[in-house]
Amino acid sequence: MNWRQPHTGGMVMLLAVMAVLPLFLDNSFQYEIAIKVALNAAVCVGLNLLIGYTGQISLGHAGFFALGAYSSAILTDRYGLPPMAAMLTGALGVGLLSFIIARPILKLKGHYLAMGTLGMGVIISIVLNQEADFTGGPDGMSVAALTIFGWEPVTEFQWYWIAVGFLALCVWLSLNLINSPVGRALRAVHGSEIAARTMGIDTTHYKVLVFVVSAVMACLAGSLFAHYNGYITPSKADFFYSIELVTMVVLGGMASTFGAVIGAVVLTVVPQVLTVFENYEMMVFGGVLMGMIIFMHKGLLPTLSEFIGKRFHEPDKR
Amino acid sequence: MGGDLNLGAIHMLKLLTKCAAIVAVGALGFTGALVSQAKADEPIKIGTFLSVTGGASFLGDPELKTMQMFIEDLNANGGLLGRKVELIHYDSKTSSEEAGTFVKRLIFQDKVDIIVGGSTTGNTMAVIKQIQKNEIPFISLAGAGVIIDPVKKWVFKTPHTDKVAVAKIFKDMKSRNLSKIGILSGNGGFGKSCQKNARALAGSAGIEILADETHGKGDTDMTPQITSIKSTAGVQAFLYCGFGAPTSIVAKNFKQLGLTIPHYQTHGSASMRFIKGADGAAEGIRIPAAALLVVDQLADDHPQKAVASAYKAAYESRYNDSISTFGGHAYDGLLIATQAIERAGSTDKETVRAEIEKTNNLVGVDGIFTMSPNDHLGLNEGSFVMVVVKDGGWKLSQ
């Protein structure tokens, strides 16, 4: 990693938080939430490349997550593949699938792109629900334990390190991609696709690339989730989960990798805290989201950074 | 350029320090609040996760209301073992992933003494691994037989299984000289399990299944499947295996297609919502159900009469809502749990588990429970009565 890159500090900070967090977690349930945060965050980091940097929306990423989860479940259970091989096969399959559909689907723009990706997600969800002989139908299926070269993570503590390790890898990849010529091309696509093309950027190529990268990240996170949870149902392919992922990215702050992570933290932890409101849980949750959109419409991280910047009279960045 | 980048790095670093601090403080506060909760005075803690919202809310809603009523009454009468009883509830939203998370929360965060919950078979099956691994007594409120067959050390359940229901239905069919049937099943856990048992039991019961159809989750029209059954020659009776909204839809489609053969459903339809939802089309449908459903029509010397009418009166006056057998499952679950804790004289998990297993001749609203190490349900066919829909209500069939 190049130490002179602007996001190095953020990366170090993220690793530090990950390393210190176990000191504050004192039971399996809290670890479970941390693990789910990390896996959601990994999906969001990938999705953010697509939405935040390239300006292309996807309402079907839950589908890729679920495909990863189910390929791990089905390949280990029905075909006896070792978990790592199943995971990689799933990732390869999803990579291929997303590559094939990326070109036609990314030709669409705005609402049409949203509809196209939505349709894709819904199709995946229907297949998982209906092919009950393979997937166990709406009640789902159990998933074998993960083994990594003979080592089997059992405790939540071990799983925590796997999940945050995976997240760190995704963040690192994402930062490197953004700070490369590819990243600049992506931002050019976001700014104005026509201008980018006039400059000689093969916009389709870059859009497809990002779509595939984000789909594979979601797929791998899905595989890890399935092994960790030990049970998977088609609800993970649900349209609402796709929306939740997009909300995490938007809430955290678009075009900000760490923003996506923070969005995932907030949207995964807050519902657990809100259970004290019992029947009013969803209302309060809706209220919190609306408040954030109204008062922090740029997203959590950009708003906070602006606020802190003003507070300490620092010159505005850039 | 380099200077700019360094400035950016410093800025980002500072910003992230702040963010990390916020996250850390938040996590601390969260932990602290929940830890202090666990260390508060020592009531007996009963944990539950129910489908109060989502696809199976018609199960979770009466279950939660029943449990809240039960615990309040129990505390008003001095609690259990001289201690107060606390009910800790999370809404699983009928999602199996949420159910799994909440069971962990109940076990590790809230440190409950026993768990009574799990409205659907899917939600229950998703948590069994956790329950078995962490060794905590669990009484499920879901229908399918797979939950307790094969027997799992820490897992019990109160609702009649689909297997018992199918056996009862087949017996009723035989007594009416119906032996060639068509069945339609939902593809959820209960429907699938019911279909499997119907296939398995048909031979020994002298029933022949001529048509065997399924429908998907969330389907709103079952006309194609029922048409196919209608056109199968020789079908003398129809059985629907499933629960929830589809039960009413099946009843409607069945009538719209002009079928007149006897129509059977399972105890998955044992709720007024089924009759109301079917809009008159439910007339004449026969189901096996707990005596609770027709408690007013029971003979005074019926063993369940007292318990069931007390529950019905209490529930209906309190919530101004008609009872369903689903709430009854929750009532029995708590009855079994609290009596086992009473007998155990403590909340020691292994002792309580052993006492649940020793439940003997306990009269609940679902039936009379007698459990054993090989039977974690404890109900037999005798606990069912056949009821028929008549004039928009339930009528006991002889």
Side-chain angles (χ1 to χ4, degrees):
Chain A
M1 185 188 312
N2 182 352
W3 285 94
R4 296 183 68 84
Q5 277 183 358
H7 287 298
T8 306
M11 187 75 208
V12 170
M13 189 49 68
L14 181 71
L15 291 174
V17 171
M18 285 170 175
V20 173
L21 196 63
L23 299 177
F24 300 110
L25 302 174
D26 67 1
N27 63 42
S28 294
F29 163 66
Q30 289 172 357
Y31 273 109
E32 158 141 350
I33 298 300
I35 292 161
K36 288 192 168 169
V37 165
L39 294 179
N40 278 337
V43 181
C44 289
V45 166
L47 194 57
N48 181 47
L49 285 174
L50 188 69
I51 300 180
Y53 286 101
T54 323
Q56 311 294 316
I57 195 159
S58 167
L59 295 181
H61 259 54
F64 295 128
F65 184 91
L67 280 181
Y70 271 97
S71 46
S72 279
I74 293 172
L75 292 176
T76 53
D77 183 63
R78 309 251 198 275
Y79 300 98
L81 249 64
M84 289 303 278
M87 193 184 290
L88 293 177
T89 312
L92 212 67
V94 164
L96 204 65
L97 176 76
S98 56
F99 180 74
I100 293 167
I101 57 178
R103 275 189 178 252
I105 220 168
L106 288 171
K107 279 199 174 134
L108 304 171
K109 296 208 166 50
H111 298 318
Y112 299 102
L113 178 62
M115 292 302 291
T117 50
L118 175 93
M120 178 201 72
V122 170
I123 289 169
I124 293 173
S125 168
I126 290 174
V127 170
L128 293 178
N129 268 302
Q130 297 299 329
E131 292 305 312
D133 289 341
F134 270 106
T135 64
D139 284 324
M141 63 186 293
S142 54
V143 188
L146 179 68
T147 46
I148 304 169
F149 306 116
W151 174 69
E152 185 185 328
V154 185
T155 64
E156 257 78 14
F157 187 67
Q158 291 163 340
W159 268 105
Y160 172 80
W161 293 111
I162 293 176
V164 297
F166 176 64
L167 172 61
L169 192 70
C170 289
V171 170
W172 180 71
L173 269 175
S174 156
L175 291 178
N176 273 346
L177 196 68
I178 294 159
N179 294 311
S180 68
V182 176
R184 285 189 285 279
L186 295 179
R187 271 173 286 185
V189 173
H190 192 187
S192 161
E193 203 175 326
I194 294 176
R197 274 163 59 186
T198 333
M199 303 281 288
I201 295 169
D202 183 355
T203 54
T204 319
H205 168 75
Y206 287 113
K207 286 199 287 187
V208 170
L209 175 76
V210 168
F211 192 75
V212 172
V213 166
S214 70
V216 170
M217 277 186 189
C219 168
L220 288 171
S223 285
L224 287 175
F225 174 81
H227 282 301
Y228 165 66
N229 207 37
Y231 203 87
I232 181 79
T233 65
S235 67
K236 277 290 167 195
D238 212 63
F239 166 59
F240 294 104
Y241 185 51
S242 285
I243 295 288
E244 215 178 310
L245 292 170
V246 174
T247 314
M248 286 173 187
V249 171
V250 175
L251 186 83
M254 283 204 276
S256 156
T257 299
F258 298 105
V261 174
I262 289 180
V265 172
V266 171
L267 279 188
T268 316
V269 174
V270 165
Q272 289 294 331
V273 177
L274 292 182
T275 51
V276 294
F277 293 103
E278 300 226 340
N279 292 338
Y280 302 100
E281 186 188 329
M282 292 321 259
M283 274 169 66
V284 176
F285 189 53
V288 170
L289 283 189
M290 272 163 62
M292 283 182 175
I293 298 289
I294 293 169
F295 297 108
M296 306 174 120
H297 54 87
K298 284 183 189 160
L300 271 175
L301 192 66
T303 311
L304 279 177
S305 86
E306 213 170 81
F307 175 74
I308 293 167
K310 271 186 207 154
R311 266 299 275 283
F312 296 93
H313 305 290
E314 277 173 11
D316 210 0
K317 62 172 177 176
R318 269 175 286 273
Chain B
M1 193 60 193
D4 271 4
L5 286 180
N6 273 337
L7 196 65
I10 292 164
H11 183 76
M12 205 62 198
L13 197 71
K14 280 186 178 162
L15 172 65
L16 275 146
T17 319
K18 303 274 163 27
C19 290
I22 291 164
V23 171
V25 168
L28 262 179
F30 180 51
T31 317
L34 292 157
V35 167
S36 65
Q37 224 174 40
K39 281 185 185 155
D41 187 31
E42 300 292 324
I44 292 176
K45 288 182 177 171
I46 299 182
T48 186
F49 60 102
L50 300 167
S51 306
V52 178
T53 57
S57 60
F58 62 96
L59 300 174
D61 178 60
E63 283 165 359
L64 180 61
K65 284 177 175 167
T66 301
M67 290 179 100
Q68 285 167 337
M69 179 178 89
F70 187 104
I71 298 292
E72 236 170 79
D73 290 351
L74 189 66
N75 281 329
N77 292 321
L80 199 57
L81 305 177
R83 289 155 71 183
K84 286 277 173 213
V85 180
E86 188 190 343
L87 182 71
I88 300 174
H89 165 253
Y90 298 113
D91 178 7
S92 78
K93 307 181 186 80
T94 324
S95 144
S96 298
E97 277 86 16
E98 299 252 358
T101 307
F102 285 134
V103 160
K104 274 195 189 158
R105 187 164 178 176
L106 289 170
I107 297 174
F108 297 108
Q109 186 90 56
D110 304 316
K111 299 191 167 52
V112 296
D113 298 302
I114 185 169
I115 299 177
V116 180
S119 307
T120 66
T121 302
N123 278 197
T124 298
M125 293 309 286
V127 306
I128 280 181
K129 217 163 148 186
Q130 282 297 325
I131 297 281
Q132 289 283 93
K133 192 171 124 194
N134 296 299
E135 312 201 321
I136 182 162
F138 170 52
I139 302 177
S140 164
L141 310 178
V146 290
I147 296 167
I148 46 138
D149 182 18
V151 173
K152 293 153 196 88
K153 188 176 175 197
W154 297 88
V155 182
F156 301 84
K157 80 189 222 47
T158 56
H160 310 265
T161 60
D162 43 326
K163 192 175 178 180
V164 178
V166 169
K168 181 83 181 175
I169 291 169
F170 281 176
K171 213 166 155 187
D172 192 70
M173 285 175 173
K174 281 308 269 186
S175 74
R176 297 171 72 201
N177 284 323
L178 308 165
S179 60
K180 293 186 167 65
I181 66 165
I183 68 174
L184 169 63
S185 323
N187 74 346
F190 181 80
K192 269 197 298 194
S193 176
C194 173
Q195 181 188 40
K196 207 176 95 196
N197 281 311
R199 287 175 184 164
L201 290 174
S204 57
I207 298 281
E208 204 181 329
I209 299 173
L210 298 182
D212 192 351
E213 299 281 335
T214 51
H215 71 77
K217 186 192 184 187
D219 281 3
T220 51
D221 181 33
M222 283 63 152
T223 314
Q225 290 93 336
I226 299 176
T227 308
S228 153
I229 292 171
K230 188 186 175 185
S231 58
T232 307
V235 170
Q236 296 169 324
F238 171 77
L239 166 63
Y240 175 64
C241 276
F243 71 92
T247 56
S248 303
I249 300 171
V250 168
K252 276 191 196 168
N253 289 164
F254 188 83
K255 193 156 185 197
Q256 283 156 1
L257 289 171
L259 271 103
T260 50
I261 54 175
H263 182 161
Y264 285 85
Q265 296 205 358
T266 66
H267 53 313
S269 313
S271 141
M272 276 311 280
R273 291 192 202 189
F274 159 63
I275 300 182
K276 284 183 187 148
D279 241 349
E283 286 294 307
I285 291 178
R286 297 167 76 85
I287 69 166
L292 171 66
L293 209 57
V294 285
V295 62
D296 301 331
Q297 299 163 40
L298 292 179
D300 282 339
D301 61 352
H302 192 283
Q304 281 172 262
K305 176 103 182 177
V307 180
S309 22
Y311 166 64
K312 183 182 158 89
Y315 186 91
E316 295 192 338
S317 69
R318 187 179 166 117
Y319 294 115
N320 198 18
D321 185 12
S322 60
I323 46 152
S324 67
T325 54
F326 312 129
H329 304 327
Y331 185 90
D332 285 349
L334 283 179
L335 198 65
I336 292 169
T338 50
Q339 296 215 353
I341 293 173
E342 190 85 58
R343 286 197 303 273
S346 79
T347 54
D348 176 69
K349 294 194 175 65
E350 173 54 42
T351 323
V352 171
R353 191 206 69 82
E355 284 301 334
I356 295 176
E357 208 165 61
K358 285 182 205 148
T359 298
N360 190 18
N361 264 325
L362 175 67
V363 182
V365 298
D366 269 331
I368 298 162
F369 291 88
T370 300
M371 296 195 182
S372 75
N374 306 319
D375 183 2
H376 278 190
L377 166 65
L379 290 177
N380 58 28
E381 218 183 287
S383 56
F384 264 144
V385 293
M386 285 305 290
V387 298
V388 58
V389 181
K390 195 160 185 245
D391 303 325
W394 302 108
K395 179 130 187 6
L396 185 63
S397 156
Q398 298 311 327

